[in-house]
Amino acid sequence: MTAINPVTDLSMDGDIAVITLNSPPVNALSANVREGLFEGFKAATADPAVKAIVLICEGRTFIAGADITEFGGASRGPSLFDVQGMMENAPKPVIAAIHGTALGGGLEVALVAHYRIAVPSARLGLPEVNLGLLPGAGGTQRLPRVAGPEKALEMMTSGRHAPASEALAMGLVDELAEEGKLREAAVAFARRCVTENRPLVKVRDNNTKVEAARGKPEIFEAFRKANARKFRGFLAPEYNIRCIEAAVNLPFDEGLAVERKLFGELVTGSQSAAQRYSFFAERQAQKVPDVPDDTPLIPVKSVGIIGAGTMGGGIAMNFANVGIAVTLIEVQKEALERGLKVIRSNYERTASRGGITAAQVEERMALITGSLDMNALATVDLVIEAVFERMDVKKEIFTKLDAICKPGAILATNTSGLNIDEIASVTKRPEAVIGLHFFSPANVMKLLEIVRADHTSKSVIATSMKLAKQIGKIAALVGVCPGFVGNRILGQRQREAQKLVMEGAMPWDVDRVLYDFGFPMGPFAMSDLAGLDIGWVKERSQGESIRDVLCEMDRRGQKTGAGYYDYDENRNAKPSPVTEKIINDFIVKTGSNPRTVSDEEILERCIYPMINEGVKILEEGKAIRSSDVDVVWQNGYGWPVYRGGPMWYGDQIGAAKVLEKMKEFQAKMGDDFKPAPLLEKLVAEGKKFSDL
Ligand code: CAA
């Protein structure tokens, strides 16, 4: 074996050269890896004893893409194009042997091999769109040539990782190897290429599939139209589509030039910067400075959930999806049966869309057992309480859990803002108590706010973080304070939205501005969707707020056909003259004068107090780092990914400008806008939010 460089070896298996990359964690295409590939292929190509070349990787995966950390820096060593040229033009067969994931630049490397072989567990994709990018090393021109433009459109704009079996069916992979025997299979495949004198297939020359789509612009128009809502606000999906159009309509090298140009625009733009930041922010959020990687974990093989409502049922699905047994507790038999029925119908809906098989529906349902007796939780490893938000009820439940659950079990509450230290105080094991705050619908929403109370043990924290990943959630660790990180910041926006309406803006004005900013919906549309009567008590309602009046009129949101908006039978919203009158009457009643509120003011008043609250949260140590605040807001509250999150966005505006505006609003409208002391300090020291 010859070491080409610290991350690359070249060895011989008879007359087959095997180039092995080993650059943990994911063999990303750093300068070192590119150099190793370039020099390795150069040496193997030049050696007359070598008849074919296999490229394989050590560790958990094949090449998982360009090294994202290198973007924006000066480029060193051979470029990826140099490497690809060396491989594609090699005068002997080149075989890429794939395990783990071949993603982005990794798949683009595989696509210049003459053949690809993969183990069944491998996944292949071009996920650049999720980083606000497009594949910049020929992937946009080669994937449509292999898989056809329709498939390429779907894969490149979703970033989906296709399983090896699908890759085989679409021709992206030539053969599957037995799991664990990739190297042997790849060498044998290479030998067959030599003995059978197989052609050196260059994907770039294979025009059949792209030519078939030439002169059919409707393919692209239909795709754009069908996905308009999903792509709204994002640049990268459209740029990916344009590259595939170029693949269809232009010769390879001209298509490549289009790809280069559009890649250059994206990689230097603000959206991709935000999306790349988010990629690392999510991973950073998994790291807790005082909870080391080797903290002992508590095995979680069974989970109990108290409350079979929408939340409890959604939480249960997360665990059943990954094969963890769930005991679902309710007080009333009817409520339990209803809850189980809802879970089943959710699974059946997924199955009807092809997401899972009918057998998987049954497997998952079989993992969920309903019970009316809390004693059924005596043996579970983790309990999550998901009942309504009343401290007395939660305390009663935790007192019982303390008596019932086995020693070492984790006792979690799904509270969205109550004091977890107070809940923990009724138990004799506060170290076992933690907040696991799921977001509704809990089987869909990505965020898990993990709330660390005063006495929560490190093992309980480490286990919760690990479990979050296992069930496909993005976790952020936060501290106990009213509303935690997410709802506490939301409170700022909701308050200003309500105030703006009392000053003369209409709910649909506020919603439009926030929708245009990139949120999936504004606060009033959101209230209509959730139901205006959440937390509203008819007997106590005295028409003291716009919401009270709307609920009293039975305008309780979408479910009653009217709320802030009027809805037609398809739930399309229209501004409501009724709501407008209620608001105007209210304004008159309070003796204030309505004024014209600009869109700029709406945006600044909704967003800047959120940023300020984020700073306060960091000041109080309730979040570990500013990017954790962004992770919460992106994944739990629909903050547009291409704007990074409130703290990232704050840095784009500049902390000084945020402070100046907060002071201006404070002078006019009072202490709702009082700047956090840390914001003042930050500006005085010329620092950024990301420094926090
Ligand atoms: N560049 C640099 N670092 C990367 C990386 C990349 N492309 N991909 C992953 N990493 C790092 C992560 O930051 C993480 O580092 P820490 O341990 O220090 O936090 C580590 O590798 C492990 O990553 P994950 O925690 O995500 O591990 P996982 O096993 O859950 O997932 C993965 C592995 C599926 C490969 C996932 O990391 C992933 O999706 N990576 C990004 C893939 C991607 O987008 N590739 C395209 C890059 S852009 C490109 O290639 C442009 C082009 O056309 C040339």
Side-chain angles (χ1 to χ4, degrees):
M1 189 179 313
T2 318
I4 298 290
N5 75 1
V7 297
T8 321
D9 283 328
L10 175 61
S11 61
M12 291 303 291
D13 194 320
D15 52 4
I16 309 295
V18 180
I19 296 176
T20 309
L21 285 178
N22 187 5
S23 180
V26 295
N27 290 308
L29 290 158
S30 60
N32 252 353
V33 169
R34 294 195 306 273
E35 182 200 64
L37 284 172
F38 187 82
E39 295 302 333
F41 273 96
K42 196 164 136 189
T45 303
D47 184 346
V50 171
K51 297 290 179 245
I53 310 165
V54 168
L55 168 62
I56 194 164
C57 294
E58 291 273 340
R60 65 215 259 196
T61 179
F62 189 74
I63 304 165
D67 186 339
I68 311 169
T69 57
E70 280 189 356
F71 288 174
S75 88
R76 283 188 298 124
S79 74
L80 192 48
F81 289 106
D82 297 334
V83 171
Q84 288 179 308
M86 181 67 76
M87 290 174 66
E88 196 169 44
N89 298 321
K92 35 193 126 181
V94 172
I95 290 92
I98 300 168
H99 77 291
T101 47
L103 300 176
L107 182 56
E108 289 173 301
V109 166
L111 276 166
V112 294
H114 305 123
Y115 295 97
R116 286 158 293 281
I117 175 167
V119 287
S121 59
R123 301 178 83 84
L124 297 83
L126 293 175
E128 284 84 347
V129 71
N130 296 326
L131 299 170
L133 293 172
L134 52 85
T140 69
Q141 304 304 298
R142 288 191 178 89
L143 186 64
R145 281 175 164 78
V146 172
E150 284 91 347
K151 190 89 185 169
L153 280 169
E154 184 270 310
M155 282 185 68
M156 282 163 54
T157 59
S158 68
R160 189 170 66 85
H161 306 171
S165 54
E166 186 187 341
L168 180 72
M170 73 173 101
L172 190 53
V173 159
D174 299 285
E175 192 174 286
L176 293 187
E178 198 180 322
E179 213 67 62
K181 300 215 166 127
L182 182 60
R183 187 187 156 113
E184 299 89 304
V187 169
F189 186 95
R191 203 153 277 138
R192 280 204 308 278
C193 288
V194 176
T195 51
E196 293 169 14
N197 204 13
R198 288 201 192 178
L200 305 183
V201 179
K202 291 187 184 176
V203 170
R204 58 179 287 144
D205 296 334
N206 184 354
N207 291 319
T208 320
K209 287 185 176 157
V210 285
E211 275 169 8
R214 199 163 288 169
K216 293 185 187 157
E218 62 276 11
I219 295 176
F220 298 96
E221 287 324 310
F223 188 77
R224 285 188 172 98
K225 213 166 139 211
N227 291 287
R229 220 172 122 199
K230 195 163 126 209
F231 298 160
R232 183 178 72 93
F234 287 92
L235 281 180
E238 172 56 25
Y239 277 39
N240 273 277
I241 296 172
R242 284 188 208 166
C243 287
I244 302 170
E245 275 179 318
V248 164
N249 296 320
L250 300 173
F252 185 85
D253 285 325
E254 286 177 38
L256 211 54
V258 172
E259 178 190 281
R260 277 294 343 122
K261 178 171 173 292
L262 295 183
F263 180 84
E265 281 178 35
L266 288 179
V267 78
T268 51
S270 63
Q271 289 204 354
S272 176
Q275 289 177 253
R276 287 182 335 247
Y277 158 79
S278 301
F279 176 86
F280 288 113
E282 279 172 17
R283 280 151 185 83
Q284 189 73 16
Q286 292 170 26
K287 297 176 179 119
V288 183
D290 69 331
V291 179
D293 284 348
D294 58 359
T295 304
L297 298 173
I298 300 161
V300 176
K301 299 215 164 53
S302 58
V303 175
I305 294 167
I306 305 176
T310 313
M311 196 38 114
I315 297 173
M317 291 174 73
N318 284 294
F319 293 99
N321 292 349
V322 296
I324 297 179
V326 177
T327 305
L328 192 59
I329 304 286
E330 253 302 342
V331 186
Q332 303 285 346
K333 189 160 173 270
E334 298 72 39
L336 181 60
E337 281 168 2
R338 205 178 322 122
L340 288 167
K341 215 167 126 197
V342 171
I343 296 175
R344 174 174 281 282
S345 71
N346 281 342
Y347 278 139
E348 284 173 349
R349 197 168 334 115
T350 311
S352 71
R353 293 184 189 141
I356 51 174
T357 62
Q360 281 172 314
V361 174
E362 298 312 322
E363 273 164 29
R364 291 176 195 195
M365 285 309 296
L367 282 167
I368 305 175
T369 313
S371 173
L372 301 173
D373 180 6
M374 269 180 62
N375 287 306
L377 302 179
T379 55
V380 298
D381 302 312
L382 158 70
V383 180
I384 303 174
E385 162 278 309
V387 304
F388 47 91
E389 291 285 82
R390 258 181 47 197
M391 184 54 94
D392 55 339
V393 178
K394 306 231 180 217
K395 280 184 169 173
E396 197 187 319
I397 288 176
F398 274 76
T399 306
K400 283 188 189 156
L401 287 177
D402 196 27
I404 293 170
C405 294
K406 67 180 184 187
I410 301 174
L411 308 183
T413 168
N414 177 52
T415 178
S416 59
L418 294 179
N419 186 331
I420 299 177
D421 288 308
E422 199 179 328
I423 297 174
S425 73
V426 300
T427 71
K428 284 182 222 65
R429 39 174 141 173
E431 71 286 352
V433 178
I434 193 163
L436 294 180
H437 180 205
F438 289 80
F439 289 70
S440 194
N443 50 319
V444 176
M445 293 294 287
K446 281 282 182 201
L447 180 65
L448 183 63
E449 238 182 1
I450 299 184
V451 194
R452 173 184 203 162
D454 279 351
H455 301 287
T456 312
S457 78
K458 291 182 181 178
S459 279
V460 168
I461 294 170
T463 305
S464 301
M465 301 295 282
K466 162 109 187 313
L467 207 52
K469 191 161 183 187
Q470 194 185 343
I471 61 172
K473 297 291 175 203
I474 293 166
L477 187 69
V478 305
V480 175
C481 57
F484 311 133
V485 168
N487 281 346
R488 181 168 160 181
I489 291 179
L490 178 67
Q492 297 291 313
R493 191 184 82 177
Q494 299 301 80
R495 184 198 63 226
E496 286 312 304
Q498 295 292 343
K499 278 163 60 187
L500 284 159
V501 162
M502 293 304 290
E503 291 168 35
M506 283 294 136
W508 30 95
D509 297 325
V510 177
D511 281 355
R512 174 180 42 78
V513 168
L514 291 169
Y515 179 82
D516 288 347
F517 181 77
F519 283 101
M521 64 180 77
F524 296 99
M526 192 170 92
S527 299
D528 271 3
L529 179 68
L532 295 188
D533 53 356
I534 294 182
W536 176 76
V537 183
K538 190 175 181 180
E539 295 67 35
R540 289 208 296 266
S541 182
Q542 296 190 335
E544 277 166 1
S545 67
I546 295 165
R547 179 185 79 156
D548 277 358
V549 178
L550 288 168
C551 285
E552 285 164 19
M553 293 170 75
D554 212 26
R555 297 179 62 97
R556 299 182 192 201
Q558 283 198 17
K559 61 186 172 190
T560 57
Y564 286 103
Y565 294 83
D566 290 334
Y567 293 89
D568 67 15
E569 56 287 2
N570 296 321
R571 295 204 169 189
N572 293 313
K574 254 195 352 259
S576 166
V578 178
T579 305
E580 189 162 348
K581 179 158 182 325
I582 296 170
I583 292 170
N584 287 332
D585 289 350
F586 244 97
I587 295 177
V588 171
K589 205 165 97 185
T590 53
S592 49
N593 288 321
R595 64 187 173 88
T596 306
V597 184
S598 72
D599 287 359
E600 189 185 6
E601 180 178 343
I602 292 174
L603 189 66
E604 290 176 346
R605 279 189 44 196
C606 287
I607 303 283
Y608 291 4
M610 292 169 67
I611 301 172
N612 190 53
E613 197 65 27
V615 177
K616 281 191 200 162
I617 285 169
L618 290 159
E619 196 167 40
E620 294 166 22
K622 302 297 181 191
I624 298 170
R625 43 183 96 76
S626 71
S627 58
D628 287 5
V629 175
D630 289 340
V631 167
V632 168
W633 260 75
Q634 267 194 16
N635 296 291
Y637 297 82
W639 183 282
V641 182
Y642 54 83
R643 291 193 202 275
M647 310 315 288
W648 169 268
Y649 180 70
D651 273 335
Q652 309 315 300
I653 301 163
K657 163 103 188 281
V658 175
L659 176 62
E660 182 196 313
K661 272 287 173 185
M662 289 296 287
K663 283 184 169 165
E664 187 189 313
F665 290 142
Q666 186 188 20
K668 276 197 227 153
M669 289 170 273
D671 279 351
D672 282 345
F673 297 95
K674 190 166 188 258
L678 186 59
L679 175 57
E680 308 243 20
K681 187 164 173 263
L682 199 72
V683 174
E685 291 172 359
K687 290 194 180 150
K688 296 167 79 177
F689 295 113
S690 57
D691 296 326
L692 295 174

